Amino acid sequence: MAGEKIEIENVLQPGKTYRVDAEKFTAARAALLSVLPRASPGLTQKEMGAAMRAALPFDQFPGSTSGWWMKSAQLDLEAKGLIIREATKPLRWHLP
């Protein structure tokens, strides 16, 4: 899978896709799905970020890169209807 690309979606830009590293995206997606609760109220962006940093290997996601991959996974999963964004302040996400 090294060097392979995968197409992802963005809930905020319907119909547009992006090509990203398949290995990193798959790891970030799995980590996000593992940390999100199944019910409301869900996690805030800050809470998701902390959970993702703990769930992802630092050598593969150094520094703040886990945040970029978390957001990419979150937007793609939302576009596919696999996670839910609550209309709260602050925003919160959870599994359906």
Side-chain angles (χ1 to χ4, degrees), residues 27-96:
R29 182 181 189 271
L32 184 56
L33 288 171
S34 75
V35 302
L36 284 175
R38 291 213 167 268
S40 190
L43 298 179
T44 65
Q45 179 127 355
K46 186 176 181 179
E47 292 166 336
M48 276 195 304
M52 289 288 286
R53 279 189 295 284
L56 293 169
F58 186 77
D59 61 334
Q60 188 179 12
F61 296 90
S64 63
T65 61
S66 64
W68 189 91
W69 288 101
M70 176 203 71
K71 194 65 177 176
S72 297
Q74 174 241 305
L75 292 169
D76 181 70
L77 289 167
E78 272 189 84
K80 291 174 169 71
L82 298 175
I83 65 173
I84 296 170
R85 179 190 302 219
E86 292 286 335
T88 58
K89 290 204 179 195
L91 292 172
R92 293 180 172 272
W93 290 263
H94 62 83
L95 299 171

Side-chain angles (χ1 to χ4, degrees), residues 10-33:
N10 181 333
V11 70
L12 303 176
Q13 298 175 330
K16 186 168 182 170
T17 59
Y18 299 87
R19 293 181 53 75
V20 299
D21 182 274
E23 185 175 356
K24 284 192 173 188
F25 181 78
T26 301
R29 182 181 189 271
L32 184 56
L33 288 171

